Structures are given as C-alpha cells and as structure tokens.
Short mmCIF file of all heavy atoms in Angstrom, two decimals:
data_model
loop_
_atom_site.label_atom_id
_atom_site.label_comp_id
_atom_site.label_asym_id
_atom_site.label_seq_id
_atom_site.Cartn_x
_atom_site.Cartn_y
_atom_site.Cartn_z
N MET A 993 1.69 14.12 18.20
CA MET A 993 0.97 12.88 18.60
C MET A 993 0.32 12.36 17.39
O MET A 993 -0.52 13.13 16.77
CB MET A 993 -0.09 13.12 19.65
CG MET A 993 0.65 13.59 21.06
SD MET A 993 1.46 12.35 21.85
CE MET A 993 0.31 11.24 22.31
N ILE A 994 0.58 11.15 16.96
CA ILE A 994 -0.11 10.54 15.80
C ILE A 994 -0.96 9.29 16.28
O ILE A 994 -0.57 8.32 16.59
CB ILE A 994 0.92 9.95 14.79
CG1 ILE A 994 1.88 11.05 14.48
CG2 ILE A 994 0.16 9.43 13.51
CD1 ILE A 994 3.10 10.61 13.65
N PRO A 995 -2.36 9.62 16.31
CA PRO A 995 -3.24 8.60 16.64
C PRO A 995 -3.55 7.77 15.47
O PRO A 995 -3.86 8.35 14.37
CB PRO A 995 -4.48 9.24 17.18
CG PRO A 995 -4.44 10.66 16.52
CD PRO A 995 -3.04 10.88 16.23
N VAL A 996 -3.64 6.43 15.54
CA VAL A 996 -3.83 5.55 14.37
C VAL A 996 -4.89 4.70 14.74
O VAL A 996 -4.93 3.97 15.77
CB VAL A 996 -2.46 4.70 14.11
CG1 VAL A 996 -2.74 3.79 12.97
CG2 VAL A 996 -1.44 5.63 13.74
N LYS A 997 -5.91 4.67 13.83
CA LYS A 997 -7.09 3.67 13.95
C LYS A 997 -6.69 2.50 13.03
O LYS A 997 -6.59 2.75 11.86
CB LYS A 997 -8.36 4.46 13.53
CG LYS A 997 -9.55 3.64 13.64
CD LYS A 997 -10.74 4.34 13.42
CE LYS A 997 -12.05 3.62 13.60
NZ LYS A 997 -13.24 4.20 13.14
N ALA A 998 -6.55 1.36 13.68
CA ALA A 998 -6.16 0.16 12.83
C ALA A 998 -7.26 -0.38 11.94
O ALA A 998 -6.95 -0.92 10.93
CB ALA A 998 -5.68 -0.88 13.81
N HIS A 999 -8.58 -0.15 12.28
CA HIS A 999 -9.59 -0.83 11.47
C HIS A 999 -10.51 0.25 11.11
O HIS A 999 -11.56 0.44 11.80
CB HIS A 999 -10.26 -1.85 12.38
CG HIS A 999 -9.32 -2.95 12.97
ND1 HIS A 999 -8.78 -3.86 12.10
CD2 HIS A 999 -8.84 -3.15 14.11
CE1 HIS A 999 -7.98 -4.53 12.85
NE2 HIS A 999 -8.00 -4.16 14.08
N SER A 1000 -10.36 0.86 9.93
CA SER A 1000 -11.24 1.88 9.48
C SER A 1000 -12.39 1.15 8.79
O SER A 1000 -12.31 0.10 8.23
CB SER A 1000 -10.50 2.64 8.26
OG SER A 1000 -11.36 3.46 7.62
N GLN A 1001 -13.58 1.75 8.91
CA GLN A 1001 -14.81 1.10 8.38
C GLN A 1001 -14.94 1.36 6.82
O GLN A 1001 -15.27 0.40 6.08
CB GLN A 1001 -16.09 1.74 9.00
CG GLN A 1001 -16.11 1.39 10.56
CD GLN A 1001 -17.39 2.02 11.09
OE1 GLN A 1001 -18.15 2.84 10.56
NE2 GLN A 1001 -17.57 1.72 12.44
N ARG A 1002 -14.62 2.51 6.33
CA ARG A 1002 -14.71 2.83 4.98
C ARG A 1002 -13.54 2.21 4.05
O ARG A 1002 -13.77 1.67 3.02
CB ARG A 1002 -14.78 4.30 4.65
CG ARG A 1002 -16.18 4.85 5.09
CD ARG A 1002 -16.35 6.26 4.86
NE ARG A 1002 -15.36 7.06 5.69
CZ ARG A 1002 -15.07 8.28 5.77
NH1 ARG A 1002 -15.67 8.96 4.80
NH2 ARG A 1002 -14.44 8.81 6.62
N ILE A 1003 -12.26 2.35 4.58
CA ILE A 1003 -11.19 1.84 3.87
C ILE A 1003 -10.36 0.93 4.86
O ILE A 1003 -9.54 1.50 5.57
CB ILE A 1003 -10.23 2.94 3.32
CG1 ILE A 1003 -11.08 3.81 2.45
CG2 ILE A 1003 -9.10 2.28 2.57
CD1 ILE A 1003 -10.32 5.17 1.96
N PRO A 1004 -10.65 -0.45 4.88
CA PRO A 1004 -9.93 -1.27 5.84
C PRO A 1004 -8.37 -1.19 5.74
O PRO A 1004 -7.94 -1.35 4.72
CB PRO A 1004 -10.50 -2.61 5.46
CG PRO A 1004 -11.78 -2.39 4.84
CD PRO A 1004 -11.61 -1.09 4.10
N GLY A 1005 -7.81 -0.96 6.91
CA GLY A 1005 -6.24 -1.02 6.91
C GLY A 1005 -5.69 0.25 6.31
O GLY A 1005 -4.48 0.06 5.78
N LYS A 1006 -6.44 1.35 6.12
CA LYS A 1006 -5.90 2.43 5.26
C LYS A 1006 -4.63 2.99 5.76
O LYS A 1006 -3.70 3.40 4.94
CB LYS A 1006 -6.84 3.56 5.15
CG LYS A 1006 -7.07 4.26 6.41
CD LYS A 1006 -7.93 5.49 6.22
CE LYS A 1006 -8.24 6.14 7.57
NZ LYS A 1006 -9.34 7.18 7.41
N ASN A 1007 -4.30 2.98 7.06
CA ASN A 1007 -3.03 3.41 7.51
C ASN A 1007 -1.79 2.67 7.19
O ASN A 1007 -0.71 3.07 7.28
CB ASN A 1007 -3.12 3.74 9.05
CG ASN A 1007 -4.13 4.93 9.33
OD1 ASN A 1007 -3.92 5.95 8.80
ND2 ASN A 1007 -5.02 4.65 10.17
N MET A 1008 -2.03 1.29 6.97
CA MET A 1008 -1.01 0.42 6.66
C MET A 1008 -0.88 0.01 5.14
O MET A 1008 -0.03 -0.67 4.63
CB MET A 1008 -1.24 -0.84 7.40
CG MET A 1008 -0.96 -0.78 8.85
SD MET A 1008 -2.16 0.13 9.91
CE MET A 1008 -3.49 -0.98 9.86
N LYS A 1009 -1.82 0.66 4.36
CA LYS A 1009 -1.86 0.42 2.91
C LYS A 1009 -0.69 1.05 2.19
O LYS A 1009 -0.36 2.22 2.61
CB LYS A 1009 -3.04 0.85 2.25
CG LYS A 1009 -4.32 -0.14 2.50
CD LYS A 1009 -5.37 0.26 1.52
CE LYS A 1009 -6.61 -0.57 1.90
NZ LYS A 1009 -6.51 -1.93 1.45
N PRO A 1010 0.00 0.50 1.31
CA PRO A 1010 1.16 1.07 0.67
C PRO A 1010 0.71 2.23 -0.30
O PRO A 1010 -0.38 2.21 -0.85
CB PRO A 1010 1.75 0.02 -0.32
CG PRO A 1010 0.87 -1.25 -0.04
CD PRO A 1010 -0.09 -0.85 0.84
N PHE A 1011 1.44 3.43 -0.25
CA PHE A 1011 1.17 4.59 -1.02
C PHE A 1011 1.84 4.52 -2.29
O PHE A 1011 2.20 3.36 -2.74
CB PHE A 1011 1.66 5.80 -0.13
CG PHE A 1011 0.52 6.87 -0.03
CD1 PHE A 1011 -0.55 6.47 0.66
CD2 PHE A 1011 0.71 8.08 -0.52
CE1 PHE A 1011 -1.68 7.54 0.84
CE2 PHE A 1011 -0.18 9.02 -0.37
CZ PHE A 1011 -1.32 8.75 0.37
N TYR A 1012 2.05 5.56 -3.06
CA TYR A 1012 2.61 5.68 -4.48
C TYR A 1012 3.90 4.72 -4.49
O TYR A 1012 4.10 4.25 -5.59
CB TYR A 1012 2.74 7.03 -4.88
CG TYR A 1012 3.58 7.74 -4.14
CD1 TYR A 1012 4.97 7.97 -4.59
CD2 TYR A 1012 3.34 8.33 -2.94
CE1 TYR A 1012 5.90 8.71 -3.95
CE2 TYR A 1012 4.29 9.21 -2.29
CZ TYR A 1012 5.53 9.31 -2.81
OH TYR A 1012 6.41 10.09 -2.09
N ASP A 1013 4.75 4.88 -3.51
CA ASP A 1013 6.07 4.31 -3.70
C ASP A 1013 6.20 2.98 -2.76
O ASP A 1013 7.38 2.43 -2.60
CB ASP A 1013 7.18 5.22 -3.24
CG ASP A 1013 7.07 5.62 -1.71
OD1 ASP A 1013 6.09 5.26 -1.06
OD2 ASP A 1013 7.97 6.38 -1.23
N GLY A 1014 5.09 2.52 -2.34
CA GLY A 1014 5.06 1.25 -1.48
C GLY A 1014 5.18 1.50 0.01
O GLY A 1014 5.14 0.55 0.71
N THR A 1015 5.23 2.74 0.32
CA THR A 1015 5.35 3.14 1.81
C THR A 1015 4.03 3.31 2.43
O THR A 1015 3.24 3.89 1.76
CB THR A 1015 6.15 4.49 1.90
OG1 THR A 1015 7.48 4.47 1.24
CG2 THR A 1015 6.37 4.89 3.40
N PRO A 1016 3.83 2.59 3.58
CA PRO A 1016 2.45 2.75 4.25
C PRO A 1016 2.22 4.28 4.59
O PRO A 1016 3.11 4.98 4.87
CB PRO A 1016 2.57 1.98 5.41
CG PRO A 1016 3.75 0.93 5.14
CD PRO A 1016 4.68 1.65 4.26
N LEU A 1017 1.00 4.62 4.52
CA LEU A 1017 0.52 5.94 4.88
C LEU A 1017 1.14 6.39 6.31
O LEU A 1017 1.54 7.51 6.48
CB LEU A 1017 -0.96 6.01 4.81
CG LEU A 1017 -1.54 7.45 5.30
CD1 LEU A 1017 -1.10 8.51 4.33
CD2 LEU A 1017 -3.09 7.27 5.25
N LEU A 1018 0.99 5.42 7.25
CA LEU A 1018 1.50 5.83 8.56
C LEU A 1018 3.03 6.22 8.52
O LEU A 1018 3.51 7.14 9.22
CB LEU A 1018 1.31 4.60 9.52
CG LEU A 1018 1.93 4.73 10.95
CD1 LEU A 1018 1.33 5.92 11.65
CD2 LEU A 1018 1.71 3.51 11.81
N THR A 1019 3.76 5.47 7.84
CA THR A 1019 5.23 5.81 7.80
C THR A 1019 5.41 7.05 7.04
O THR A 1019 6.33 7.92 7.55
CB THR A 1019 5.91 4.70 6.93
OG1 THR A 1019 5.67 3.39 7.60
CG2 THR A 1019 7.41 4.98 6.85
N LEU A 1020 4.62 7.61 6.10
CA LEU A 1020 4.76 8.80 5.44
C LEU A 1020 4.53 9.91 6.46
O LEU A 1020 5.22 10.97 6.53
CB LEU A 1020 3.86 8.96 4.25
CG LEU A 1020 4.25 8.12 3.08
CD1 LEU A 1020 3.15 8.23 2.04
CD2 LEU A 1020 5.55 8.46 2.48
N ILE A 1021 3.46 9.73 7.26
CA ILE A 1021 3.08 10.78 8.24
C ILE A 1021 4.23 10.80 9.30
O ILE A 1021 4.64 12.03 9.75
CB ILE A 1021 1.76 10.38 8.93
CG1 ILE A 1021 0.61 10.45 7.94
CG2 ILE A 1021 1.39 11.30 10.10
CD1 ILE A 1021 -0.61 9.75 8.33
N GLN A 1022 4.75 9.68 9.74
CA GLN A 1022 5.84 9.75 10.78
C GLN A 1022 7.04 10.54 10.25
O GLN A 1022 7.69 11.27 10.94
CB GLN A 1022 6.23 8.35 11.11
CG GLN A 1022 5.18 7.60 11.91
CD GLN A 1022 5.62 6.19 12.08
OE1 GLN A 1022 6.43 5.97 12.94
NE2 GLN A 1022 5.13 5.26 11.26
N LYS A 1023 7.47 10.26 9.02
CA LYS A 1023 8.60 10.91 8.40
C LYS A 1023 8.54 12.34 8.35
O LYS A 1023 9.32 13.10 8.68
CB LYS A 1023 8.92 10.26 6.94
CG LYS A 1023 9.54 8.97 6.90
CD LYS A 1023 9.71 8.39 5.50
CE LYS A 1023 10.28 7.13 5.47
NZ LYS A 1023 10.48 6.62 4.03
N VAL A 1024 7.26 12.76 8.03
CA VAL A 1024 7.06 14.33 7.97
C VAL A 1024 7.33 14.85 9.37
O VAL A 1024 7.88 15.88 9.49
CB VAL A 1024 5.67 14.60 7.37
CG1 VAL A 1024 5.38 16.11 7.59
CG2 VAL A 1024 5.72 14.24 5.86
N CYS A 1025 6.64 14.28 10.30
CA CYS A 1025 6.84 14.81 11.69
C CYS A 1025 8.21 14.75 12.23
O CYS A 1025 8.72 15.66 12.91
CB CYS A 1025 5.93 13.95 12.65
SG CYS A 1025 4.21 14.13 12.41
#
C-alpha cells in the first residue's frame, strides 16, 4: 500500500517532483514495489 500526500507542507508536490532522471518520486516507489 502506497499512501500519497499530494500537498506536502515543507516540500510542495514532493511526490510528483522529478527525480534525478526526470521520473517522479511516486513512480520510482511504484516501480520498486
């Protein structure tokens, strides 16, 4: 189960922000699972 908070207070949109290769954090977590 991957709970995602869409509106982070400290880093807005952190789960949708592109990571090192342009892939959103949420997508990286999903791929691992």
Side-chain angles (χ1 to χ4, degrees):
M993 298 290 293
I994 306 171
V996 179
K997 186 174 180 183
H999 305 290
S1000 174
Q1001 292 178 356
R1002 289 182 286 174
I1003 304 172
K1006 73 177 176 188
N1007 291 309
M1008 287 71 71
K1009 283 192 185 285
F1011 233 60
Y1012 66 96
D1013 65 350
T1015 304
L1017 179 60
L1018 172 60
T1019 303
L1020 292 173
I1021 295 168
Q1022 291 175 81
K1023 284 182 180 179
V1024 169
C1025 289

